[in-house]
Amino acid sequence: MPEPEDLDEALHPLLTALQGRRLAVVTGAGISTDSGIPDYRSPGSTPRSPMTIQQFMAEERWRRHWWARNQVGWHGPHRAEPNAGHRALADLERRGIVTGVITQNIDRLHARAGTTNLVELHGRYDRIRCSQCARTYSRREVARWLDDLNPGWVAERIRDAETAPDADAILTETESFRVAPCPACGGILRADVVFFGDSVPPETVADASRLVDSSDALLVAGSSLAVASALRFVRRAHTQGKPIAIINRGETRADTLATATAHVGTSRALPWLADRLSGTGEPAT
């Protein structure tokens, strides 16, 4: 759907719902699209069938397939820069208006923008851990190992590869790719992210729940809330009777729970809201 040109008219109901309150924020892939990272569900997005954790752990061929694609795809979030939406939320946190951000994204752009109280529901693309001994390694370090095992793999494919928000590149031929084991114990290395079919760690859920509980209202930015791992926190805020404001280019699963919604891109909407919630822009009427 087309975005409204008049932000004052589109966003004033959200400002009314949020003004004077301390906000918890839930974000999804839509906040990072203007940083060049595609989302899953916008019109025209390529249909995807992400690998499950059960596939990854069960068979070497699936691990080859995942690592071959990720060795190309991880460069997408690594090169991306935070946009105006990320920076607006970080500024609101510094001003004490945003209590913290709960994100479904693994791209680390909130952290790079300056958000400090950050709950990464689905993990982070830049950290690898061993499924056996639990040692962790940086993605850059593992990339060097894989480059040594697969000379030229990235250089030959990175220009034409389409990537997804989970750093998955669309490649078909992956059978020749060689996977690195954990150098400490020989175990299976995996990205420190929540795969499909996996569960968000209980301690992460607890951190996000505390953030919602300690806030006066909830703002959702750039998420259709199609995944239950984020939707639960909107329902939690609704049960507590807190105002809920949603900014998303399309409809969401929580629109009926929202106090106010706006179909606007987050890079436009969040700076507008930040200026007015912090008192540096036009006052609410």
Side-chain angles (χ1 to χ4, degrees):
M1 61 184 66
E3 289 191 17
E5 294 184 6
D6 187 347
L7 287 184
D8 289 350
E9 180 180 354
L11 296 175
H12 194 274
L14 280 75
L15 180 62
T16 301
L18 299 177
Q19 197 160 42
R21 296 180 168 93
R22 297 176 72 241
L23 318 177
V25 182
V26 172
T27 68
I31 198 172
S32 294
T33 54
D34 287 344
S35 293
I37 300 176
D39 63 12
Y40 279 117
R41 297 177 177 87
S42 290
S45 297
T46 302
R48 304 185 190 280
S49 299
M51 187 176 300
T52 66
I53 188 60
Q54 293 80 11
Q55 289 174 309
F56 183 88
M57 295 302 298
E59 295 186 45
E60 172 73 19
R61 67 185 179 98
W62 287 115
R63 292 193 288 276
R64 277 200 309 270
H65 188 65
W66 189 92
W67 278 110
R69 291 160 66 111
N70 188 265
Q71 181 69 352
V72 175
W74 84 280
H75 292 272
H78 188 65
R79 292 175 176 173
E81 294 293 334
N83 61 51
H86 298 105
R87 294 192 294 271
L89 292 180
D91 180 61
L92 285 172
E93 185 192 36
R94 285 190 293 270
R95 294 174 183 273
I97 297 168
V98 162
T99 59
V101 174
I102 303 163
T103 188
Q104 299 167 266
N105 301 339
I106 65 171
D107 55 35
R108 305 245 67 217
L109 293 180
H110 283 298
R112 290 170 57 195
T115 294
T116 58
N117 192 9
L118 179 62
V119 180
E120 294 170 304
L121 282 180
H122 298 159
R124 43 191 288 183
Y125 84 94
D126 64 340
R127 188 166 60 200
I128 306 300
R129 64 180 168 88
C130 176
S131 58
Q132 183 168 305
C133 71
R135 295 188 188 216
T136 60
Y137 306 92
S138 73
R139 185 62 182 85
R140 184 189 295 272
E141 182 180 19
V142 176
R144 289 196 296 266
W145 305 343
L146 294 173
D147 282 340
D148 289 342
L149 290 171
N150 304 275
W153 182 270
V154 173
E156 293 168 7
R157 294 164 176 82
I158 195 167
R159 286 188 179 181
D160 301 322
E162 179 187 352
T163 61
D166 58 359
D168 180 45
I170 309 305
L171 304 176
T172 53
E173 194 289 303
T174 59
E175 293 180 0
S176 63
F177 194 81
R178 298 176 64 192
V179 176
C182 173
C185 73
I188 295 172
L189 291 178
R190 55 165 289 177
D192 199 6
V193 301
V194 175
F195 280 70
F196 278 75
D198 212 345
S199 299
V200 177
E203 60 272 20
T204 303
V205 175
D207 288 343
S209 298
R210 282 192 291 269
L211 188 53
V212 173
D213 295 348
S214 64
S215 302
D216 305 317
L218 183 70
L219 171 63
V220 177
S223 176
S224 65
L225 299 169
V227 180
S229 60
L231 180 61
R232 75 177 89 184
F233 302 111
V234 182
R235 289 175 172 159
R236 188 180 187 94
H238 182 260
T239 299
Q240 295 171 358
K242 296 175 178 178
I244 297 166
I246 299 177
I247 302 168
N248 196 55
R249 284 192 171 104
E251 296 179 350
T252 81
R253 288 179 66 191
D255 284 355
T256 58
L257 305 180
T259 309
T261 63
H263 298 299
V264 182
T266 55
S267 294
R268 295 178 65 211
L270 290 173
W272 186 98
L273 273 178
D275 285 346
R276 286 149 184 83
L277 289 172
S278 62
T280 59
E282 295 295 325
T285 58

